[in-house]
Structure formats: C-alpha cells, structure tokens
Amino acid sequence: MAVKQRLKTIERNPNERNKDFNEVNLGYTQELAIEEAKRCLQCPNPTCVQGCPVGIDIPGFIKKIAEKDFEGSYKVLKKYNSLPAICGRVCPQEIQCEGSCVLNKVGQPISIGALERFIADWAINNNIEEDIIPEKRINKKIAIIGAGPAGLTTASELSKAGFSVDMYEVFHDVGGVLIYGIPEFRLPKSIVKKEAQLLKKLGVNIFTNIPVGLAIHPKELLEKYDAIFIGVGAGTPKFMDIEGTELNGVYSANEFLTRINLMKAYKFPQSDTPVKIGEKIVVIGGGNTAMDAARSALRLGANVTIVYRRSENEMPARKEEIKHAKEEGVKFQTLTQPVRYIGDENGNLIGIECIKMELGEPDESGRRKPIPIPNSNFIIEASVAIEAIGTNPNKLLLSQFDGLELNKWGYIKADEFGRTSIEKVFAGGDIVTGSATVILAMGAGKKAASVIKQALY
Amino acid sequence: MKNKILEKRKLAYGVHEFWIENPIVSKNAKAGQFVIFRLYENGERIPLTISAVNKDSFRVIVKAIGKSTYELCRLNKGDFILDVVGPLGMPSEVKYYGNALVIGGGVGIAAITPIVKELIKEKNNVDVILGGRSKEYIILENEFKNANNLYIVTDDGSLGEKAYPHQFMEKMIQEKNYDIIWAIGPSKMMKACSEVAKKHDIKIWVSLNSIMVDGTGMCGGCRVRIGNKLKYTCVDGPEFDGRLVDWESFEKRLNQYRKEEKIALSKYLQEVGEPTWL
C-alpha cells in the first residue's frame, strides 16, 4: 500500500530566524492540515491514544479536521487537554503519540503535534471558547500550589467539575517553566497567556507573588482547603560544581533563560535586567533546555557551541530541537566534558578546560556511559558558560511542609494518582518525577484531579 | 494586593524609608527575611530586606545604587509597587544565646533592627554597634534604645568614635565575652568583621546581598561558596556564618554587572535629569 509522506509544517528560514525571537515553526495552513489529517487511518484501536499521557481522543479530533469541522475538532481536543496550543508546540510527540502511530510501520507517522497546534491556534484566532459552565457547583475548596503545567491542568479540571479553586504562584505571572524556561521562538508567551486566561474565565482565583510555605504556612492551607495539589516543579539548578563555578559568566540554564524569557534581558537596556553575552558561549548539556539556551544565545549574537559528554545519539533533546539548533548555526562538540572553569583576575570566565570522552558499556540509564580519555585535556575559549545539566527539587515549600514524605533525591513521594503521605495533599509533575516534560506534568495533574473529584464529589 | 506606599521618609542622601501596605508580608515576615519588588513591566526584580512590620504594612529601607533603586527612591507616598513577593529567605536564628553583639553598617542598620528587637525579646544581653561613613549615614539610632549598650562609630569621626566597625568590634571582644555576633552592612565590613570573629572563634551571622533574579531557588545566580559547599543565598540564606563565606568570589560576583548597571543608570539619568529627589 502506498502511503503518502507526511506534510511538512512551514518553518522560517534559519538565517532569518536566528536573529530574532519570533516563532520558528509556523505550523500548517488550513489546506495542509486537512491534507495531513486525511492521512490518518482512523484505527479502531488507536495506539496513539495509549502513547499520550493525557489520553486525547486523537483519531477523533483529526477526523474532524479532515471533515473541515475545526470547531468540532477543538471541542474534542479540549475535552482532554486544557493547554493544546502549548502541547502542540512542546510535547515530545516523537516518543509519545507519533511514536505509537501505526503508520510508523509503513512510513511516517501522522503529524499529530502540528495538527493539535493548528486546531488550538485556529480556535484562538477565531475566538472560539469552550463551554465553560460547570454542571454543578460543589461547595469544596481546592488549593493549587504552583501555576506551571501540572497546576494549570489540575486547576482547570477541578474548576470545570465545579470546585472552588485557589491557585498560588510565587512569580508575578502564571505558566511556570512555560514562561521562564521555554523561549519565545518555540512557545510565544501570548499563547501561554491566552490559555491561562481561560482559567480565570473558569472562575479560578489566581494569587501571584505568593511564596507558599513562607507567606502562607502549609498548616493554614490544610485548615482552609478540602484538598491541596502541589505542582511546584523541580526548578533548582544543578551545577557540575567544578573549579571556578563561581566565576562571572557561568550561568545555570535556568538563570540565563529566566533573564531572557521572563525579564526580557534581550531588550536591555530598554528592559532593566541584563545578561552577559560576549563573543563565545558554551552550553553544557544535551537536553531541550540546552538547545533552548544555545538558540537563545545565538539570537543575541554569540558564537555558540554545545558541549555534551556523550554522542549526539544519546542526547535527550527532541530531534526537532537538535535539527533547528544545527540549522541556525549552533556548533556541537560531543564526547567532551568540562573539568574546570578558568577565570581572569576580575573573576570573569575566559575559558573552559575540557576532557575528551569515549563511550563504554550502558549504565543504569540504558545509555552508553561516557569515560574520560586520559591526557586528552584541552581548553575552549569562552566568556559565558551555561550549564543545562538538570535540576533538583525546589525546597522553598518542601522545607516548610511537616510530615510530607520525600524520596532519597528530595522529591515528593506520591503514588500514580498523586497521593502523598498526607491526607488531602496531592502532588504531581516535576516535584514528584524530577525534571520531565510538560505533558507528563499535565498527565499527573489530570490524574490527581480525577482522584480528588472522586474523593470529594 | 495593592502594595501602596503608605509612608516615605528620607533618612540620608540616597537612603529612603518606605512603608508598604501588604498584609501577607506583614503577617508572616520574620527577622532576617526579605522581599522582592518589581516596579513595572520589564522592571528588574529588586531584593530588599524587611526592616520592620506593622499591622498591615512592612518597612524597607532603600539605598539608591543603580537604576532600579534610583527609580524606587523616586516614588512617593500614595504610589504603588507593581509586584511585591515575600517574605522570602530563611529567618534569622534568633534564640537565647546570652551575650549578643550586633553590628550594622550604613543601610545594613535597617536590617539589624528586627534582629535586635527579637534578641531582646529572647532575653539576650544585646550590644549594638552602628557604623557609617559620617554622622549623616547613621540611621534609625533611636530604634536601639532598648539595647543594653549602643555604640556609634564613623569613618570620619563626625559622630561617636572614629573607627571602622570591625576595629571597634575587636576592642569590645577584648573587654567582654560574646556568645553570638551579627554583622550586616557592606560586604567589606562583613568580611572584616568575620575575620575578627574567626580569630576569636565566635559564631557570626552575616546577611549576603547577592545578585538574584527570582529569589525562590530557581536560577542559582545568588550562589555562594560556604565552607566549600555551593549554597543559594535566596533559599539557604540570606544569613550565613561569616567565618565560612568565600568572600573573594562573593565580592567578585557582586560586581559582575557593573558595566551594565552603569549603562542603565546613565541612560536613566539622561531621561530624568538631575536626581534631586535623592
């Protein structure tokens, strides 16, 4: 059987887009979306749905696109996913829905992510709003701590079910990693704002600038609410902690990206928060965050190299992000590990001493373990180094929460439905799993919401 | 949350006292904690130590150093701060120690007021040293009336004894046994005081004014080496044992945006003219 190739989305030219922060991928036109949707086999037993952490009726919303019923498609989508414009852009579809698509066996999978994004954007552009009146109001109060993907999903699910929901966020804006971590060129802030605004329409009370734990004691929350959901993420950056980590010019990816995304440092001095750029920037790591940091640095005019200790095959980043980074001019130096930062007399970074690596046997992560090659040290010149090697749990809240059991890495112990060691207290997202993806956090929020609903209805 | 400025008073050149309406902060703040202000969209996040609380409001004392603090000092009674987040940071470890020595230098005097108050409440004997460049910079003097002893030192001798705080501290330690010390002020002062405390083997708390972005443990920009471990000032501090602080890298990190700060300030001054309000 001849199967048509998947249709490509429209992407901006790499040499144009690597100079600004506007979106790189422009998605599908209506015609392209309909064409692509028609490739879907409408499997009676759809494996793609099993591959989706929130179990979206994927054949259902795609069928409606093929039928040109965009509004109908949006309604199907929204039933399962409260943040489709975000997920369509940042989910690792290749290992989830698209990775499970039957068409993989005979050709290329359906472009589910791009279709999801198309429908979500279409709804935003046409001011289509879902029916947001809950069936009944329930006289129970829920507190959501953290307004990232997990918290936003839980808040939306519970509010739709009729609960009274208060959401607390320590930043001045909602979105969590969606606004401070993921750059504008991959996920425009306006999209996050629009999807978050829907929460307000659902009646969720959003309190920003509140450090729960210090401004409101957990005890007070336990007294005031019938259930509490903790979705505070795992925002504390890890450092390799090699010599010279204190030097000026050494950043965590979180700091670099927060300065740029949340504080708009790329507009300095029009905006007030600066960020160091310099000529040569080295980004350390191979995940999506490393790609985001590298591509942001590139857009600020730097010469950017990604240094990763394994080979490109082992990089955890989405393939699309690696491809985009390369097209835009980010250099890759794999099988390389920094061992020391070198500074000048003023404490400014001037170089990074690295060692070459080779791959040995697979380790507990299943990836081949990088082993240093003796006497292969060399120095890379750099005035800025950005470490994107992962995060630890954020302890601002956890240190204040008596009796909340944590695992040996400091994350909250919770079962698959988010139940914690304290009755009424649920948790989900990165603060339970360690840093993962937006959609997994949303899936956790959704599961916790279903259990809270059952318990309190 | 409106964050209205209820009172504003000039304490010294470029040093202003603000009372901000915010019941969440005032209800929960403990000595040693801080808040972060953001004045408007695209404004910087400015960390400031909480210096006192009232029923529905709290006090910060701001020294104009860069563009954002200049702008803050230009605000008046009745104006609003767009965002106030807090309280943040670990509270001071205030308990009964016995004899306590508390040193405040310059605008750091604002930070020691709640600590001294709490130490007295815990029945400690509290001696206080206030230090400043000259008599104009000795602020809030009358808020230390309840201390057992109050000493003032100035760099130029225009008020109290002509000495640096750490020199006077050394003299005090020679005369009396202290069980605990706090020193809050410019990093040079805190470093010098920490060296004296180390020599006499007395624990000394300092409050580090690291450069921060979020203040919630998320960016790692405020990291500081304490006893050879990396710590984050915003969630592990802001107070640390001064004897363990790696002062050299701390001071270098404080200067990391000097160039950018200069650019931002001169651009601002071009827009607004002479800062007569300072």
Side-chain angles (χ1 to χ4, degrees), chain A residues 247 342-350, chain B residues 252:
Chain A
L247 290 170
I342 304 161
D344 66 10
E345 69 280 3
N346 298 318
N348 297 320
L349 181 75
I350 52 172
Chain B
K252 281 177 179 164

Side-chain angles (χ1 to χ4, degrees), chain A residues 170-172 180 208-211 214-217 220 235-239 241-242 245-252 254-255 258-259 262-264 267-276 344-347 394-396 399-400, chain B residues 1 24 27-28 33 38 40 42-45 67-68 71 82-90 211-223 225 228 230 232 235-236 246 249 252-253 255-257 260-261 263-264 267:
Chain A
V170 70
F171 268 137
H172 51 253
Y180 74 73
T208 52
N209 292 317
I210 305 287
L214 299 175
I216 303 174
H217 196 273
E220 205 182 316
T236 303
K238 273 185 200 160
F239 284 96
D241 205 0
I242 56 177
T245 302
E246 308 80 36
L247 290 170
N248 298 330
V250 179
Y251 284 104
S252 72
N254 265 6
E255 179 179 2
T258 300
R259 282 180 181 268
L262 191 69
M263 309 310 292
K264 306 273 182 287
K267 293 183 182 161
F268 180 86
Q270 272 69 47
S271 66
D272 289 345
T273 307
V275 67
K276 295 250 176 246
D344 66 10
E345 69 280 3
N346 298 318
N394 192 322
K395 56 185 164 192
L396 178 70
S399 61
Q400 308 297 316
Chain B
M1 208 63 54
I24 289 190
K27 187 182 152 210
N28 298 289
Q33 292 186 303
R38 194 177 70 131
Y40 45 76
N42 291 340
E44 260 183 306
R45 292 171 69 91
K67 184 210 175 195
S68 298
E71 279 182 305
L82 178 63
D83 294 298
V84 171
V85 54
L88 293 167
M90 300 302 284
I211 295 174
M212 286 178 192
V213 185
D214 61 293
T216 66
M218 204 205 71
C219 82
C222 65
R223 65 187 180 275
R225 212 167 264 287
N228 214 23
L230 275 188
Y232 296 155
V235 287
D236 298 317
D246 175 357
S249 65
K252 281 177 179 164
R253 282 187 73 75
N255 290 328
Q256 60 186 313
Y257 294 106
E260 289 82 359
E261 282 159 12
I263 293 171
K267 181 174 164 275

